[in-house]
Amino acid sequence: MKYDYLIIGAGISGLSSALLLARFGFKVAVVEQAPRPAPLVEGFVRNNVYFETGFHYAGGLEDGGVLDLNLRLLGISDHLQKVPFDLKVYDTVVQPESGLNFSFPQGYAALGDALREHFPTQRQALSEYFERIQQITRKLPYYCFPEPVKPEDLGESSASGLSLLHEYNLAQVLDELAIGGELRTLLQIHCLLHGSLPSEVPFAIHAGVVDGYYRSAHTFKGGGRALVTALVTVLKQCGVDLFCRHRVEEIELSAAGAFAGVRCTNGVKLQASGCISTLHPQAMLKLLPASVFRPVYRRRLAALKESPGAEIVFLRRERKRGSTLGVRCERQRGITPRVDSLPVHNFQGRNFFFLPGSGKAMFDPDLPLSERLLYLNFAGSAGSDASDNNWEGGVTAILPAPYYEPGTEVSATLSYAERKAQTGELVRKRIIELLPELGPGLEVECVATGKTLQRINASAHGSLYGVKHMVGQFNPSAKTRLPGLFLAGQATAAPGLLGAITSALITVGGIVGHDRVEALRRDTAGL
Amino acid sequence: MTDTEIISLVNDSLVEEFELEISTMVSEAEIFADLGLDSLDIVDMVVVLEGALGIKIRDDAGLREIHTLGDIHQFVLQKKRETEAAS
């Protein structure tokens, strides 16, 4: 059968694009190489503990917030139960060396009060900073409702798009407002949520990320897994076909040189009038003959810089230390015996950011493990999933790490496994030192590296967010020169859950007309 | 660099990066109609010009006024002069 649109990649941007196109009446199929959709966000359950992988918490989920609205527009809100993060202390930033210890409360008003109390001399600058964030987000496409989305807002045809994204980076704005010291550190900390340094990230992108988190911080009951389940449920209701374990190896062209279909490594061919690729832009290039794009475009995509690499340690609490559990690798999935896990409820609904010492780069992957940025997430996914399985919530620890070149051998050699075990143990000890209350029974469940991200999440370089957003780097836009081929994904619009959904709105808007998508949004918002 | 050198550098870069015919590179050539570029190429054109000449091109009214190759030359020469004056 012939589809109207094929979506390559069943991540958040791919599933959202499929849902939107289906809402506009198109017959859509999603093609995914992994065994299950959205492996980055799905998380995993082991020994009755749920671990978050790519979804840790979300901003803008308060009623009427930008993400809340987008989930309603996708039709998945009714399948999800929002769970707020700790209202008073959702993000705690600690720099052991300097003694900095500050916790973010939810909402601009409470955050403003807390920061003004800590930094009375910078009250004015802080107010102005918040104002600038809210000002620039009003210009972001599919963020607020200021004016209809114009193609030039999307950076497609130069001018204002270039200006919005490439005029200022975050560091320049903080410089201009003379914000320094610990306040600057706190305002920069959420760079971890997009993976670009303050001196790199376009202020508009940073603002579009932090604005939501400054308003509210939530997760879902059942975590990232519940989000994926909701997307897939609604996708099926909309009649979208989902082909997992189908890896696209070639995009086929019509005689006229337009998109015609895809051929998968398992021999399956699917035909469609159009396609949205949500692959890493460099991976997309490999599916097409070189002659399709101009050399300058290919070179631009090939030169795109990646967000930081990472090592992720998954930890749990056990009732009894010294049991047979130690570091476990993914291959043991499903065959480990059930053990009695302790809740981590004192920290549930909280994140901790432990910073490197002063003068050290935020994401420096070459620092010793004991000094590297350490992000701890207690997503509080404890509770239950849709089928009311009761799980405890695990602890996810993320540290910047060096990249793995694509194609690096991924089989688990002994030294690789040993290195992972060592990383896990060092991180476990560091966490116990930093949060002694968590100490008794804290065990490492397993460790993920850049290789894991490459294998499970199709992250070409094993980076956290794929292509970075930075001033002067022109990421690809939704349209391509190949008729019928469009791009979506966080590389094209913005990072994170919101960025991925926004990219779907922008790309589908480019296909069906932005006025129609905008009308759907207004309708959803009751405007 | 002299103006002539800058113009030839711009032309060479565009020929190479956009696979254009050198014979079409006359200053009255319309960039969309004659050179075959389209609005999707504007960002790449900015990348090429920035890279070749070490200038920064952002929200410029001048960018929106570009219709011919000659407009590109004038735009770039102006930018280059502004950049030099600023440094």
Side-chain angles (χ1 to χ4, degrees), chain A residues 209-353:
Chain A
V209 171
V210 296
D211 179 63
Y213 287 92
Y214 288 172
R215 290 173 193 273
S216 76
H218 287 81
T219 183
F220 302 110
K221 185 181 177 191
R225 173 163 294 204
L227 174 65
V228 179
T229 304
L231 280 163
V232 172
T233 303
V234 178
L235 215 60
K236 281 183 184 150
Q237 289 168 357
C238 294
V240 174
D241 290 334
L242 176 59
F243 297 95
C244 288
R245 297 184 195 275
H246 281 59
R247 184 192 170 99
V248 173
E249 66 173 349
E250 192 184 347
I251 289 176
E252 298 187 315
L253 307 181
S254 69
F259 174 88
V262 300
R263 185 165 50 76
C264 304
T265 48
N266 57 6
V268 170
K269 286 186 175 195
L270 296 166
Q271 289 183 311
S273 311
C275 173
I276 299 177
S277 167
T278 65
L279 299 177
H280 191 290
Q282 291 160 2
M284 179 276 297
L285 282 183
K286 290 180 188 152
L287 305 179
L288 285 159
S291 58
V292 168
F293 297 116
R294 297 189 192 280
V296 61
Y297 183 75
R298 290 201 305 273
R299 257 196 283 275
R300 169 151 70 96
L301 298 199
L304 292 171
K305 292 202 173 67
E306 288 284 300
S307 54
E311 282 172 332
I312 308 174
V313 182
F314 300 97
L315 304 106
R316 50 181 295 135
R317 291 187 71 197
E318 284 170 28
R319 285 201 195 281
K320 217 167 59 182
R321 280 288 311 274
S323 70
T324 53
L325 278 180
V327 174
R328 298 189 184 285
C329 295
E330 288 79 354
R331 58 185 139 74
Q332 285 169 284
R333 194 173 207 162
I335 56 164
T336 47
R338 287 203 158 192
V339 293
D340 204 5
S341 292
L342 283 170
V344 289
H345 52 252
N346 288 347
F347 296 100
Q348 227 146 53
R350 295 185 65 179
N351 296 301
F352 288 83
F353 301 75

Side-chain angles (χ1 to χ4, degrees), chain A residues 78-301:
Chain A
D78 293 345
H79 300 263
L80 289 167
Q81 193 179 323
K82 295 188 281 192
V83 181
F85 259 49
D86 196 303
L87 288 174
K88 294 201 172 110
V89 289
Y90 73 95
D91 276 343
T92 299
V93 180
V94 182
Q95 190 165 38
E97 185 194 88
S98 66
L100 169 67
N101 189 324
F102 179 86
S103 291
F104 284 66
Q106 296 196 36
Y108 267 108
L111 176 59
D113 288 346
L115 287 171
R116 277 187 286 270
E117 196 187 313
H118 269 70
F119 306 100
T121 59
Q122 298 186 76
R123 299 168 78 97
Q124 185 58 38
L126 188 67
S127 302
E128 204 168 315
Y129 178 73
F130 282 170
E131 180 52 37
R132 284 216 196 176
I133 286 183
Q134 291 171 50
Q135 241 169 34
I136 202 161
T137 56
R138 285 196 277 273
K139 295 184 191 163
L140 292 173
Y142 294 115
Y143 199 92
C144 303
F145 292 100
E147 294 166 47
V149 178
K150 300 182 291 289
E152 58 264 33
D153 292 337
L154 313 174
E156 271 173 16
S157 56
S158 77
S160 59
L162 291 185
S163 161
L164 182 62
L165 283 182
H166 297 284
E167 197 73 24
Y168 297 105
N169 61 44
L170 169 62
Q172 285 167 317
V173 172
L174 294 171
D175 282 347
E176 227 174 88
L177 298 173
I179 293 176
E182 292 187 340
L183 179 59
R184 189 179 181 110
T185 303
L186 294 175
L187 297 179
Q188 291 176 345
I189 190 62
H190 292 107
C191 283
L192 186 67
L193 304 180
H194 50 66
S196 302
L197 290 169
S199 56
E200 298 172 332
V201 66
F203 183 61
I205 293 282
H206 185 78
V209 171
V210 296
D211 179 63
Y213 287 92
Y214 288 172
R215 290 173 193 273
S216 76
H218 287 81
T219 183
F220 302 110
K221 185 181 177 191
R225 173 163 294 204
L227 174 65
V228 179
T229 304
L231 280 163
V232 172
T233 303
V234 178
L235 215 60
K236 281 183 184 150
Q237 289 168 357
C238 294
V240 174
D241 290 334
L242 176 59
F243 297 95
C244 288
R245 297 184 195 275
H246 281 59
R247 184 192 170 99
V248 173
E249 66 173 349
E250 192 184 347
I251 289 176
E252 298 187 315
L253 307 181
S254 69
F259 174 88
V262 300
R263 185 165 50 76
C264 304
T265 48
N266 57 6
V268 170
K269 286 186 175 195
L270 296 166
Q271 289 183 311
S273 311
C275 173
I276 299 177
S277 167
T278 65
L279 299 177
H280 191 290
Q282 291 160 2
M284 179 276 297
L285 282 183
K286 290 180 188 152
L287 305 179
L288 285 159
S291 58
V292 168
F293 297 116
R294 297 189 192 280
V296 61
Y297 183 75
R298 290 201 305 273
R299 257 196 283 275
R300 169 151 70 96
L301 298 199

Side-chain angles (χ1 to χ4, degrees), chain A residues 155-160 162-163 166-167 294-297 299-300 472 474 477 479-481, chain B residues 16-19 36-44 46-48 50 57-59 63-64:
Chain A
E156 271 173 16
S157 56
S158 77
S160 59
L162 291 185
S163 161
H166 297 284
E167 197 73 24
R294 297 189 192 280
V296 61
Y297 183 75
R299 257 196 283 275
R300 169 151 70 96
F474 300 96
S477 56
K479 279 189 194 158
T480 73
R481 290 188 66 79
Chain B
E16 190 195 334
E17 298 280 7
F18 289 90
E19 295 178 316
L37 304 193
D38 59 36
S39 64
L40 283 176
D41 291 317
I42 298 296
V43 169
D44 282 317
V46 167
V47 173
V48 168
E50 284 193 349
I57 302 170
R58 293 295 178 260
D59 185 10
L63 197 59
R64 276 168 274 180

Side-chain angles (χ1 to χ4, degrees), chain A residues 24-43:
Chain A
F24 284 106
F26 294 105
K27 181 68 190 154
V28 185
V30 184
V31 193
E32 165 63 46
Q33 65 170 355
R36 301 164 59 84
L40 173 64
V41 175
E42 198 191 23

